[in-house]
Structure formats: structure tokens, C-alpha cells
Amino acid sequence: MADLTSDFIGIKSPNPFWLASAPPTDKEYNVRRAFEAGWGGVVWKTLGAEGLPVVNVNGPRYGAIYGADRRLLGLNNIELITDRDLYTNLEEIKRVKADYPDRAMIVSIMVPCEEEAWKAILPLVEDTGADGIELNFGCPHGMSERGMGAAVGQVPEYIEMVTRWCKQYYSKPVIVKLTPNITDIRKPAEAAKRGGADAVSLINTINSITSVNLDTMSPEPSIDGKGSHGGYCGPAVKPIAMSMVSEIARNAETHGLPISGIGGITTWRDAAEFMALGAGNVQVCTAAMTYGFKIVSEMISGLSQYLDEKGMSLDDLVGRAVPNVTDWQYLNLNYVTKARISQDDCIKCGRCYAACEDTSHQAISMSEDRVFEVIDAECVACNLCVNVCPVEGCITMEELAAGAMDERTGNVVSPDYANWTTHPNNPGAIKAAE
Amino acid sequence: MTNSPFTPGIAPARLPEEALARNFTDLHAPLDGHEALVAADRCYFCHDAPCITACPTDIDIPLFIRQIATGTPEAAAETIFDQNILGGMCARVCPTETLCEEACVREAAEGKPVEIGRLQRFATDTVMAKGVHPFERAPATGKTVAVVGAGPAGLACAHRLAMHGHSVTIFDARPKPGGLNEYGIASYKSVDNFAQAEVDWLLKIGGIEIKYGTALNGDVTMAALQADFDAVFLGMGLGGVNALRAEGETRDGVTDAVEFIADLRQADDLSTLPVGRNVVVIGGGMTAIDAAVQSKLLGAENVTVLYRRGRDAMPASAYEQDLAASKGVRFIFNAMPLEVLGNGAATALRCEYTKVEGRSVQGTGETFDIPADQVLKAIGQTLDGAPDGLKLDGGKIAVTGAGRTSLSGVWAGGDCASGGEDLTVTAVAEGRDAAEDIHMQISKA
């Protein structure tokens, strides 16, 4: 059994699976249950400044997108930061941390963008004995209308400024949580780094409307006939989150900045993918909200089995795929593949044919008795047939060996690597060896 | 209760009323809304889908399933009814395991086809429960068509003709419409008087009149129909039953399986239906299976299906055979009846093992007796009293194209016509297609 012990910016936890700052971590009761279930750490639901508690809506706060059999693929929410008293939260954090010293306890904070506000809350948090803080610069709804959350996260200068205050008034690690509701995720990450952040965590939720009720014409979740955009999360956002994580991991300015990966992580495999793309650990919310805390058991056993099978340590995994994330212009244009349909596996549904014939390159033939075959002279290797085929492994992409003829182009496949930067069709091509 | 499965002879009420009620409820419970969505989601929406090809009525199955999946079962039902106005009954009685579901690519992929039949029922039930009839009749044309037989072929033909604005009169020998849907289908496939409800719903199109108790060659003649109507469609089914050609066939306790099934369907109180302690059903088709299973469900102690060929040659599908076996029906293959034994009433059936050589079936000389106080003959039905002047083919009315007979202005379809399998769905397709052909012909004149 692989050792999953995690050391993320000096914060130790028995495994790299933390619960993200969200409803599951809003109370002592929930967090104790999470730790009993085996979670390595939690980021406590965001605390606000001292004073009258935050108010939430009293109607539905979540909206959902479903796949087959009502499998929850995406969830959005319009819940705000904790609506419980600051001191109640602080006392609970202190108690739970004392009882679970081996688990990571991070406190998420969101107070107004004023130095005094941060100066006031940080000593209170320090006093709980928690292992670090996470700055909530990501919440896209409600709080952002009041100049907090994503409203800060969308302005790199604010991120840098607030991060600096935190490093000044707090002694332990500071994680900056980033909003994806921004054009270039590298900019806020760079700002966090300049401000002295120990790590960034991403992504927070994405602005979204999950559905519209076609009878009442209200967006969902509906509050008395009206809806407000909420924060989207769950398996559906994973590809977006992974791209953003990888951008920060491979960006020269932020390379090496520790990342806590968040966004639709549901299984050990999702976690491993995030970590391969540079996340030092991962945070989970929607999967726990969908299935309960017990899923961490599968995450632990799955990641452990994978590491054992690959003979890797947890540290070996982190960032392992980052060197393979590149720009389009550096992709090898001499890598030529063709779709191959396994007639033994084909169930003759014809979806590859419909997709290719109607929407792609007319590169699949269909016989009277429903035999589907690839026409190499037309196949551009787009992969759509692979993607729409309901049988895993039935259609595959086969690489043409160097020296083979690509029937589509009439060219012999070259053994050399060649990309767009040197392609003759590229007006800006760098002429080699001139 | 006075009787039990062990009561000798033929006796009613072998099971308590609750058991009978339980035994004769829906064979397949209807899908609820969520189940339908889950089932619908399994459809791959195949290109030029094999299930459509396999459906005798060419229902666009992937389309109707997608319409269910997107929350519009009403639209799904219209897709179905457009091709098959008896889509509700077909959803219940079609041997889908040898039609659409056998062709389903999921069957090839994982041995579990999309539940097309149950999904079709979900869609059609939704619309029928609302009492909505999705089609409107075209303006009246003034043309009239006589349809003989209010079974699936006749009803499908009449409905399509009525849609086109023609006036249709259906003549049926029985007191109720539906044909085999009403008299010939196992009870657990058509519960809650579905066949009658379906006919009532179908007739909402308007322009169709049914004359009951009116048999061809008796109350009405072919010549009269030809004289009085612009066209005639014959869909009277197969009224005759093949003879057993075994000694002792006339002993008490020997009856036709179709009669047994019809009595069961018409019974108001299942506990009044007599059934043997030892029942032997002779034959290998759906009628044999339906009779055997229902005998068992009525409380017979032993039910045996005797079929003269091997299992592979049995017309009833493997699914139907398994259903029967699951209810406790025993199969004896490669054996034929020689003589019904008994003194007045049947007590046993003497059988002989057979060997099959090509098309011929020969006795091997080895015989055996099985206890039998009730013998149900399910060895095929025959066309009873075809009108004079009609060319026959293999004992059925010869047809070409869309059901055209050898007589001008006379069409035929369903079991009484040559070609096609004797299935409800085939009858519907034939009736529908004949209607379109009739419509074309009489609209020209």
C-alpha cells in the first residue's frame, strides 16, 4: 500500500484529499464526520468579518445538470459564505483541530478589501491553531456584488495587496483561491505569487445558469420566480479546471508555485490527473455532496493501488504530465494516425458513420449489411468516431509508421518531428539552419 | 376453496382467488416515469437503426425513444401511432425478442437490448390515458369500404381509411371487436380490458361503424359487399383449427387451445374456469405457450407441452419457452401424440418419439404415456370458409403487393392472407398498407 502522506507547503495530512471550503465544512459536526471518514484535511467554510451574520436565501440554493439515470454532472449554488457567528466558527475550528492534530485544518477567509479588516480577523484565526488560511477570491455570486470574492480575484493588483497583508499579519501558510471567471488564469496566480502566497488553489466555481424553467421562465434555482447566476462545479467543470491548473504549472512566472487542485474531482483517477498536471494535493466538494464522505475510501485505495502499480511515490506523480502540456504550435505535424474499427467489437450502431458522414470528412463507409470501414484516403484522424462510439476500444487511432504512405495526402510519413513553427504554410515560419 | 392442484380430473378454483389475481396481473409491469428515462437513455440513436428494419410496421424507434428521453412521450406516441395505430397492444404482445429487441445493437453488445416494447407501452399509455386521439380525419370523401374482421388487420385498415376520409363499415362475427387481441392473447399480456379500451380509443377517429355478430358467408355475402362498397378488405383471421389426427380425439377433455384461451379472456371470474390436474398442450407456437402457461397459472399440477420437433425448430421464441419453464411448464420435444387414452374422458396421452429428417417427421416406434385429463390442441389454425372465387396460396388468401387478392376491388391482410408471420404487428402493417393502396385506387375513380 503506497504511502499517501502528504506534505503540502509544510502542512501535513495523512492523504492528499482535502474537503474544499463549502457547505460540507461549515460546522464542527460535519468536519468531525469527514475526519472520521478519513479525509486528510478540510478547508473550513469561508469566515467573514465580525458583526451581523451573513444572510442566505430561504429558497433553493442549488441547481443541477444531470446525465443518464439522474447522475449529477454539474451543480451550481448561490449560497454565500458561512452564515454562522464568527466566534462560534473559531471555537469549533480550535476544538476540532485539537482533537485531530494529524489532519490539515485550513481556514477560508473573506473580508472586505481593507487592511484593517484583515488585520482584525487574522489573529483570531491564528489563535485557533489551524494550519493555514485560504483567501476566498473566487466566490462568483452575492459576495462579489459587495466587492469581495471574485470581485477581488478578478483584479490581480487586489490579490497581490491582500496576500501581502495576510503574509504580514499571519504567520502560517497562505493559500490564494482563484476564480476561473477571468480571461487568463496566469495573471491572478502571478499576482498571488508576487504578494507572497505559499500556494494557489483553483478553481473556484464558474458563473452559471443551470437551467430555465420553461413554464415559469425563471432561471433555476428559482427564488420567487427569479434566478441569479450561481457558481458551477462538479464533474462537468473538471476539464476547465485541469487546463487552468496546467497553465499555472507550466507558466515560467508561476512554475513551482504549489497548487491545490479543485474542480469536479470525483474519483481517485480525477485526483491523480490533477496531480499529474501539477497539483500538490486536491480539494473535493461536489462529489462529497453527491455521495457523502465515504467516497474518500475509494480515493485512498485507488490512488494507492495506482502508485503501487506504477512504482511511484506521491511526489513522483505531482507534475509528471506538465512537461507534456504544450502549445499547439509545437505539436508534431508528422504524427499521422488513422481510425481503425475492430469488426469483432463493432455492434453496428452506425454512430461513427453518421458522425463522419454528416459532420466530418466522409471517411467511413457503410455496407448493406452494416459493416463500417475507414476510408484512409479521407480520414484526417479527427477522433470523432472514437469519441461517439459507444463501445470502448472498438475504434482506435493507429499511428502510421515512418515510411508508410498517408493515402489522404499522398505523402510518405516522415520520421522527423516537425511543427507549425517550421511549416512552409506558416508565413512566420522560422527557417531552420539558414 | 374446495379444490387444489391435486384435485383429480378437470376442476375450477384450484388456487385461492388472491393467487389467481396475482398470477394474471401484468406480465411486465409498466415503466414509471423515471424507469422510462433510464431505459430510454440506453438507446444509442443508431444510424439507419436495425430495430426499425426489424419492426414489421417500421416504427422510427430511435426517434420515439429520444422523444421519451426528452420528456415528450406524447410526441413519442404520435411517432408510434403514425406507423402502427395498435402500438399500444403491440407494445404488450409483440415477440420483441425476435423483432426490434433482437436487432438492438445493445443485444449484440451486452445481451441486454433497450427495452423497446416497454418504452413503447410507456409512450402509448401516456397518450391513451389522456383519452386523446392524435389524428384528425380528412374531409369525408363519400367513398365506402367494407372491412371483414375487427381484428388487428381490419382495425388498422379501417383507421387508415377513415383518416383519409373514407367511410368504413367493419363486419365481425363475434360480439366484441379486437379479434385475437380480444380472444387470442394471454390474459397477463392484456390486463384491465386493454383490447376493448384500445378499440374505443381507435374509433375516436370517426367514420368507422362496426357491425357485430355478422359473419361473412352467413349474415353478409361477398357479392353484397362488392356491390355495396367501393372496396372490400378481408381480415377475418383463421377461424378453423387443425385436427389432431390421433385416436380418441373426441374424448372429453380434448379441446382447442384457442378456445381455452378465449374462454379465459372472457371470464369475469377466473375461479370459475375449469382446468385439468394434468394438462398436455400439443403444439409449439405462441398459442401453445399461452395455453400452457395459463393452465399452470390457473392451478394445474402438471402442464406439459408436447412438440414433435426439436427445441430449435419451435416457433415460440426462446424467451417464451423460458417464460413457460419459469412458471413450471415441462417441455417434451421430438414426440407426437398417438392416442388419447381414457374411458369417456381423457386420462392419458399415448405419445411416440420422433425423428426429424429434413421436413418429414417420423415416429421411432418408441412410445410412452403421460397422464392427461385435459388435452389442448395448439397445432395451427386454418382459414375457415374463404369466399368463392378467391385464389388461395398454401391454404390462405393469395395476395400480391399491398394485399391485393385475385378479385378486383378486394384486398386481404392479417393471418388469413398469405405471406408474413402471423403476428399482431404484421397484421397491422398489412392492414395499414392495404388501406393506403385502397385509398389510392378508390381516390382515382
Side-chain angles (χ1 to χ4, degrees), chain A residues 381-399:
Chain A
C382 74
N383 213 39
L384 182 63
C385 55
V386 174
N387 299 141
V388 302
C389 177
V391 180
E392 192 178 354
C394 174
I395 310 181
T396 49
M397 278 293 158
E398 185 181 272
E399 183 179 357

Side-chain angles (χ1 to χ4, degrees), chain A residues 57-280:
Chain A
V57 292
N58 296 298
R61 353 184 141 169
Y62 303 118
I65 294 291
Y66 296 107
D69 201 8
R70 272 177 83 83
R71 178 176 286 258
L72 194 76
L73 299 182
L75 188 73
N76 91 344
N77 81 89
I78 53 169
E79 184 174 293
L80 303 183
I81 62 173
T82 186
D83 53 11
R84 303 186 321 135
D85 176 67
L86 174 63
Y87 289 96
T88 305
N89 275 308
L90 292 168
E91 283 160 22
E92 290 184 5
I93 291 167
K94 193 171 188 170
R95 267 204 304 270
V96 177
K97 178 60 196 177
D99 286 351
Y100 295 89
D102 66 322
R103 310 302 171 95
M105 173 71 79
I106 311 298
V107 179
S108 174
I109 307 173
M110 180 198 290
V111 293
C113 217
E114 298 152 6
E115 191 169 356
E116 287 309 310
W118 290 91
K119 207 173 161 180
I121 196 169
L122 288 169
L124 301 176
V125 173
E126 182 105 40
D127 183 54
T128 61
D131 302 294
I133 56 173
E134 185 181 78
L135 314 187
N136 182 344
F137 293 159
C139 186
H141 49 267
M143 303 310 289
S144 56
E145 295 169 15
R146 306 174 202 176
M148 292 182 271
V152 178
Q154 285 163 341
V155 183
E157 293 75 13
Y158 290 174
I159 293 176
E160 184 180 341
M161 177 178 72
V162 176
T163 306
R164 214 179 285 283
W165 292 336
C166 291
K167 288 304 290 180
Q168 189 180 343
Y169 300 117
Y170 183 71
S171 70
K172 290 181 179 172
V174 175
I175 303 168
V176 175
K177 187 166 181 177
L178 305 180
T179 175
N181 300 305
I182 190 161
T183 314
D184 185 348
I185 196 66
R186 293 172 298 184
K187 301 301 175 205
E190 289 167 10
K193 193 179 176 190
R194 282 196 303 273
D198 297 279
V200 289
S201 57
L202 70 158
I203 58 173
N204 206 311
T205 55
I206 303 172
N207 285 348
S208 60
I209 289 174
T210 49
S211 58
V212 174
N213 183 316
L214 290 175
D215 295 320
T216 65
M217 287 295 157
S218 170
E220 302 281 3
S222 172
I223 301 294
D224 195 22
K226 304 258 190 258
S228 177
H229 77 258
Y232 196 43
C233 55
V237 310
K238 179 188 152 198
I240 298 165
M242 290 212 299
S243 171
M244 290 184 164
V245 165
S246 75
E247 285 302 299
I248 293 171
R250 74 190 189 94
N251 174 29
E253 303 296 317
T254 50
H255 184 71
L257 176 65
I259 301 168
S260 186
I262 312 169
I265 294 161
T266 307
T267 67
W268 73 267
R269 191 178 290 274
D270 300 327
E273 291 176 21
F274 268 84
M275 295 180 83
L277 286 172

Side-chain angles (χ1 to χ4, degrees), chain A residues 68-69 347 349-351 370 390, chain B residues 34 38 41 44 46-48 105 109:
Chain A
D69 201 8
I347 59 171
C349 69
R351 280 183 19 176
R370 301 185 73 81
Chain B
H34 177 68
V38 174
D41 197 80
Y44 285 141
C46 294
H47 174 76
D48 190 15
V105 300

